[in-house]
Amino acid sequence: MEDFLNQLNENQREAVVYTGGPTLVIAGAGSGKTRVLTCKIAYLLQQGIPPQSILALTFTNKAAREMKERIATLADPAQARRLWMGTFHSIFAHILRREAECLGYPSGFTIYDSDDSKSLVKSIIKELSLDDKMYRPGLVHNRISSAKNALISWKAYEQNKELVENDIHARVPMIRDIYKRYQNRCFQAGAMDFDDLLLQTNILFRDHPEALDRYRRFFQYILVDEYQDTNFAQHLIVRRLSELHLRICVVGDDAQSIYSFRGANIDNILQFKNQYPGCRIFKLERNYRSTQNIVNAANSLIHKNQEQIHKTVYSEKEKGSKVLLTSTYSDYEEAYIVASRIAGMRMGKERYSYADFAVLYRINAQSRILEEAFRKRNIPYKIYGGLSFYHRKEIKDVIAYLRLIVNPHDEEALKRIINYPIRGIGDTTVGKLIATAVEQEVSPWTVLSEPLAYSVPLNSGTIRKLETFRLMMEDFMKQNETLGADEMAALVVRQTGIMDEFVRERSLEAAGRIENLEELLKGISEYIHLRREEGTEQVRLADFLSEVSLLTDQDNEKEENADKVTLMTVHSAKGLEFRNVFVVGLEEELFPSSLAKDSPRAIEEERRLFYVAITRAEENCILTYAQSRFRNGKTNLCSPSRFLMDIDGQYLEVPGLTSASESCQAELKPQSHTQPSFQSLSRMNKTGRTVEPSPPASSLLDLSGLQAGATVKHDRFGIGVVMEIEGEGGNTKATVHFENFGQKQLLLKYARLKVL
């Protein structure tokens, strides 16, 4: 016992040994939260508390497993194995199996995963003869899931006037009937879905007080990790179990509450002291992860939030480098500057490995251009918590359509999209087409085009569906003869119904897929324009697909600890740490998200998300934003994120400004002698040259004064110097040397150049 207690700092030790009542441990980023939780459980065991009477709840199986392993090294391993430790869902599933008869379920009930649930919802929609374009299975499942996490049963749902009226307004008035049927079918099948594990536990404790009393007496101590991430259902279960003995300890950080879209409620941790009278609050404020400048910069940011439990996190590590803030002309240049800086830092005196770097972004769609830049610099990378951009389902689906347009005999592309979006062509039909094709030694497309000629055993209804699909694809093939690759892709996304499907679903997952589709269209447009600037006027769809096939040719390295740069969303980065962290895309409408702009509370969550991003860094934190970004099919001028103004300027390094305060005055915000202004941020480029935001491409046509030696600006490549001009008329080309992209030869009639 003395060994592990002596390894703790004073605040950690006080939180560990206090067992006198409700306890709230506010653990700042990098402050040793997991160590405190594991040591507290080990301390309880050494105080003679039976392991089976300790309930420890986590959010991931990995966290529970690692904590058990740590506890086993601090206490008796046999005792560690007897702890009730696991995720909320796994622990409550165990309780429900014990008490299933009280609720009318068999003890061996099945647990439906998300695919099972959506499949059942889809069947019910079909049985009710509802329009599956309005009642999308994903949409309906999300509505049911949200209701359950708010502890709204199907009976309560159909009696809730507000919910019913909302469904009517959304033109899905039958949601309540689907929910009722869905729940009854689950019950008849002896099954619970993932959300039922929380809902049914609450029903058990509400309707069966003897069961609640039994578990209240059984669990003498309750500990909860990441309490800021709990939703209403989880909070209520914990409160019911602990409200008599009050021996509860919750650990978390309100400054890292970033999952409201999953139902997490920050009020659970903010109001904990009010709901548990006599609560002791312990603050873990020493950061063991980051340098002083990084910690201080993060503190100055998060202190701008109104809803928080105030604490002052500090570091006793070296002062370290300031947080570097870099402006770029475009998202394209941003990606290449990040790639170049990583390559340069690897060659510096620290000799960083690739695994020492992480690039964090707000939305998944931002990874595409980063991946392109990394591949061209031969920088190995991995996508954490998600797929590489071109491996995401919605992207692969669109690419499969484009492949089939270029080559209708592409069997794998045909199999992927013949029934997506759903058009009633099932696996049996596809199997018959392929079997006939193999027998006749032709492609499945050939058989599909003439099913009667090949005597495929299909009914007239199925043949009509195949005919509709064939006509659509042949129309695409015809239009591909005259349309550009970008126009062709946009037509496919629109006319196949892929985009409409995600728009109707109206879930966060669907919104992310829409953004990814828009990013794909952007990538094709950029590809075409770059090829035209380089002199290739006719850019075919086949050319782009050839490029993509190379981009998706992954190596066979499967080791998790391979030396690769990590790319991930900020949400995925929570709980991780890296020596060097880049946070990209720090612009209004992106970070913070445009969805948050009308809600002060949502803006505060976005600020917490930025705080999480900065505090992932141990040694160096680099922030970047672009003055223009290609979104929704066009180049948009961008403003730097308001959050950059929240960071105290004394912890920021803005290239082009010296550290001497006298030299900063011209670029400083009047009310703060250390804070660069929005205006200075939007004008300051990485070399210190003040520039105006890039105008739209249509205005970059004034090339008077263009000659060798002239300084020009390109809205993606940035500042460059003209080395040579050759040709005449429409074939005039300029060779330009750009600082971050090297030498480029550009066809002037297409080039987005402006003489400076």
Side-chain angles (χ1 to χ4, degrees):
M1 179 176 67
E2 290 300 323
D3 286 339
F4 66 78
L5 288 181
N6 286 333
Q7 295 172 7
L8 304 173
N9 66 37
E10 184 178 351
N11 289 351
Q12 291 174 331
R13 187 161 53 250
E14 288 180 354
V16 165
V17 302
Y18 178 74
T19 58
T23 307
L24 171 60
V25 180
I26 298 298
S31 63
K33 168 183 65 69
T34 303
R35 171 181 286 188
V36 167
L37 205 53
T38 54
C39 287
K40 190 172 186 72
I41 293 171
Y43 180 78
L44 290 173
L45 292 174
Q46 294 204 355
Q47 296 304 302
I49 305 300
Q52 66 273 17
S53 68
I54 299 174
L55 172 63
L57 298 168
T58 67
F59 274 85
T60 66
N61 288 311
K62 180 183 178 183
R65 183 173 61 253
E66 290 178 351
M67 285 174 60
K68 268 193 176 181
E69 290 172 355
R70 290 195 189 187
I71 293 167
T73 65
L74 301 176
D76 183 353
Q79 286 189 316
R81 288 193 294 271
R82 294 166 58 199
L83 292 166
W84 278 65
M85 175 178 286
T87 64
F88 282 87
H89 291 88
S90 64
I91 292 294
F92 298 149
H94 190 52
I95 290 175
L96 287 171
R97 291 202 185 280
R98 288 186 166 194
E99 310 294 338
E101 290 185 8
C102 296
L103 300 170
Y105 284 85
S107 60
F109 61 80
T110 299
I111 298 177
Y112 279 172
D113 63 17
S114 180
D115 289 341
D116 296 324
S117 297
K118 288 179 181 177
S119 178
L120 178 54
V121 166
K122 182 179 176 183
S123 297
I124 293 171
I125 290 170
K126 185 175 181 180
E127 292 165 11
L128 292 173
S129 301
L130 298 174
D131 182 356
D132 62 3
K133 294 180 180 178
M134 292 299 298
Y135 291 88
R136 303 300 305 170
L139 164 68
V140 176
H141 179 252
N142 285 338
R143 292 281 182 101
I144 294 174
S145 177
S146 296
K148 288 185 176 183
N149 282 312
L151 301 184
I152 301 173
S153 66
W154 69 263
K155 291 181 180 178
Y157 194 102
E158 66 180 6
Q159 294 170 6
N160 188 306
K161 184 178 180 181
E162 182 180 356
L163 289 173
V164 172
E165 288 181 351
N166 285 342
D167 289 344
I168 293 172
H169 180 72
R171 297 190 296 170
V172 284
M174 295 292 287
I175 291 283
R176 57 180 176 177
D177 299 274
I178 299 173
Y179 186 6
K180 178 180 180 179
R181 285 199 179 206
Y182 172 84
Q183 205 58 23
N184 287 337
R185 291 275 282 277
C186 285
F187 186 77
Q188 292 167 6
M192 294 187 192
D193 66 19
F194 203 61
D195 301 306
D196 276 325
L197 299 177
L198 299 179
L199 174 63
Q200 295 297 336
T201 301
N202 272 290
I203 291 174
L204 172 69
F205 291 159
R206 181 196 67 190
D207 296 347
H208 300 276
E210 72 286 353
L212 174 59
D213 183 62
R214 188 160 58 249
Y215 286 99
R216 277 176 174 168
R217 287 185 284 105
F218 186 72
F219 296 126
Q220 296 181 35
Y221 284 88
I222 299 174
L223 303 98
V224 186
D225 191 17
E226 304 285 13
Y227 196 68
Q228 77 279 352
D229 294 335
T230 54
N231 61 25
F232 178 64
Q234 292 162 331
H235 163 75
L236 190 57
I237 293 171
V238 170
R239 180 158 176 76
R240 280 176 165 154
L241 287 172
S242 63
E243 61 187 348
L244 291 185
H245 59 64
L246 298 179
R247 289 188 289 270
I248 178 172
C249 174
V250 303
V251 182
D253 183 6
D254 56 293
Q256 298 186 66
S257 179
I258 59 174
Y259 295 120
S260 64
F261 66 93
R262 295 181 186 168
N265 187 352
I266 191 174
D267 287 334
N268 291 346
I269 193 167
L270 293 178
Q271 300 301 320
F272 185 86
K273 63 181 183 298
N274 298 326
Q275 295 178 348
Y276 289 87
C279 169
R280 281 281 303 275
I281 300 178
F282 297 90
K283 297 180 181 180
L284 308 182
E285 297 175 303
R286 180 178 175 183
N287 181 302
Y288 289 88
R289 174 187 303 152
S290 309
T291 61
Q292 293 179 30
N293 271 319
I294 291 173
V295 170
N296 292 337
N299 282 346
S300 66
L301 167 75
I302 202 62
H303 283 168
K304 303 299 188 300
N305 270 11
Q306 298 299 311
E307 289 190 317
Q308 63 175 293
I309 298 172
H310 286 278
K311 60 184 177 300
T312 301
V313 179
Y314 66 94
S315 170
E316 293 186 356
K317 295 183 72 173
E318 66 276 10
K319 189 173 183 180
S321 301
K322 291 185 177 183
V323 173
L324 179 64
L325 174 59
T326 299
S327 167
T328 66
Y329 287 107
S330 66
D331 49 349
Y332 192 77
E333 187 188 39
E334 177 185 55
Y336 279 78
I337 285 177
V338 169
S340 295
R341 190 163 186 86
I342 289 174
M345 291 174 71
R346 281 193 75 248
M347 301 304 292
K349 61 181 181 180
E350 294 86 358
R351 308 299 292 182
Y352 292 118
S353 65
Y354 286 119
D356 290 328
F357 295 90
V359 184
L360 311 183
Y361 36 80
R362 180 63 183 83
I363 59 175
N364 278 310
Q366 289 173 260
S367 79
R368 182 197 65 81
I369 199 166
L370 289 162
E371 291 183 63
E372 177 185 331
F374 282 19
R375 286 180 180 277
K376 290 190 175 180
R377 289 299 300 262
N378 292 318
I379 295 175
Y381 68 88
K382 61 182 178 181
I383 304 291
Y384 184 95
L387 294 172
S388 172
F389 182 84
Y390 286 103
H391 283 179
R392 291 167 184 155
K393 180 185 183 302
E394 60 274 16
I395 303 302
K396 293 185 73 172
D397 291 333
V398 174
I399 294 295
Y401 270 103
L402 301 181
R403 283 169 49 188
L404 199 63
I405 290 169
V406 171
N407 174 19
H409 303 296
D410 185 332
E411 180 175 331
E412 292 305 311
L414 175 67
K415 288 193 296 186
R416 184 175 186 91
I417 51 87
I418 191 171
N419 197 39
Y420 181 77
I422 294 172
R423 49 178 63 94
I425 302 174
D427 292 342
T428 300
T429 299
V430 174
K432 291 178 180 179
L433 291 175
I434 292 175
T436 303
V438 171
E439 181 182 339
Q440 299 294 324
E441 297 184 341
V442 295
S443 73
W445 175 262
T446 302
V447 176
L448 181 152
S449 300
E450 298 182 280
L452 294 178
Y454 284 93
S455 302
V456 185
L458 301 171
N459 60 43
S460 58
T462 300
I463 290 176
R464 282 195 298 272
K465 292 172 183 175
L466 292 173
E467 175 80 351
T468 300
F469 174 72
R470 178 182 63 81
L471 291 174
M472 178 185 71
M473 293 305 303
E474 287 181 344
D475 183 60
F476 285 153
M477 294 171 193
K478 183 177 181 180
Q479 295 196 63
N480 185 46
E481 296 173 4
T482 57
L483 294 180
D486 53 347
E487 297 169 304
M488 198 65 241
L491 190 69
V492 166
V493 169
R494 184 171 66 251
Q495 291 194 359
T496 58
I498 292 175
M499 183 70 84
D500 291 340
E501 175 171 293
F502 298 140
V503 170
R504 284 191 296 267
E505 188 170 320
R506 294 190 298 178
S507 68
L508 282 168
E509 182 182 26
R513 289 179 173 174
I514 290 171
E515 290 171 337
N516 288 338
L517 291 178
E518 291 172 344
E519 183 70 11
L520 172 65
L521 299 180
K522 165 190 170 182
I524 299 175
S525 296
E526 285 184 345
Y527 174 81
I528 291 173
H529 193 83
L530 287 173
R531 296 293 80 76
R532 284 177 176 169
E533 283 189 332
E534 293 169 358
T536 305
E537 294 199 41
Q538 298 300 320
V539 185
R540 301 173 302 163
L541 182 59
D543 297 329
F544 173 75
L545 293 175
S546 177
E547 179 91 352
V548 169
S549 69
L550 296 175
L551 288 176
T552 57
D553 184 20
Q554 299 290 312
D555 60 33
N556 295 319
E557 178 60 65
K558 296 184 179 181
E559 292 183 26
E560 290 186 7
N561 297 321
D563 187 20
K564 298 180 180 181
V565 177
T566 300
L567 306 181
M568 69 177 89
T569 64
V570 184
H571 281 102
S572 297
K574 185 170 175 289
L576 302 177
E577 56 188 44
F578 301 88
R579 293 178 70 182
N580 307 292
V581 170
F582 290 78
V583 188
V584 300
L586 286 163
E587 301 129 32
E588 289 292 302
E589 307 290 310
L590 181 56
F591 202 167
S593 167
S594 59
L595 300 176
K597 62 184 179 181
D598 296 326
S599 168
R601 196 166 211 209
I603 287 293
E604 292 213 342
E605 176 155 333
E606 291 284 304
R607 187 178 284 110
R608 292 194 295 269
L609 189 61
F610 186 26
Y611 173 82
V612 167
I614 293 174
T615 55
R616 300 310 93 197
E618 298 174 3
E619 298 175 14
N620 293 289
C621 181
I622 299 96
L623 313 178
T624 68
Y625 67 93
Q627 296 175 32
S628 67
R629 188 170 293 274
F630 196 100
R631 298 186 76 185
N632 303 319
K634 62 181 181 180
T635 298
N636 298 285
L637 298 184
C638 304
S639 299
S641 170
R642 69 190 72 184
F643 298 149
L644 297 175
M645 296 293 293
D646 292 336
I647 302 175
D648 192 322
Q650 66 179 304
Y651 307 119
L652 282 176
E653 177 187 348
V654 184
L657 296 180
T658 68
S659 58
S661 60
E662 295 85 357
S663 302
C664 298
Q665 295 305 311
E667 296 291 347
L668 299 181
K669 187 178 177 184
Q671 62 265 38
S672 170
H673 73 285
T674 58
Q675 190 69 58
S677 66
F678 267 131
Q679 289 76 18
S680 69
L681 290 176
S682 65
R683 297 198 308 270
M684 186 66 60
N685 78 350
K686 62 181 177 56
T687 64
R689 185 185 292 117
T690 56
V691 295
E692 295 302 320
S694 302
S698 60
S699 70
L700 302 180
L701 300 176
D702 181 11
L703 297 178
S704 59
L706 184 68
Q707 57 188 346
T711 300
V712 295
K713 185 185 74 172
H714 187 281
D715 65 352
R716 276 177 307 217
F717 301 143
I719 299 294
V721 176
V722 178
M723 309 301 292
E724 182 183 6
I725 297 177
E726 59 183 300
E728 57 185 26
N731 294 319
T732 305
K733 296 180 181 180
T735 300
V736 186
H737 184 273
F738 296 98
E739 182 174 350
N740 290 297
F741 298 92
Q743 199 157 290
K744 297 280 185 181
Q745 189 176 65
L746 305 176
L747 194 64
L748 290 186
K749 68 178 180 180
Y750 290 117
R752 299 172 182 175
L753 289 177
K754 181 179 180 182
V755 180
L756 297 180

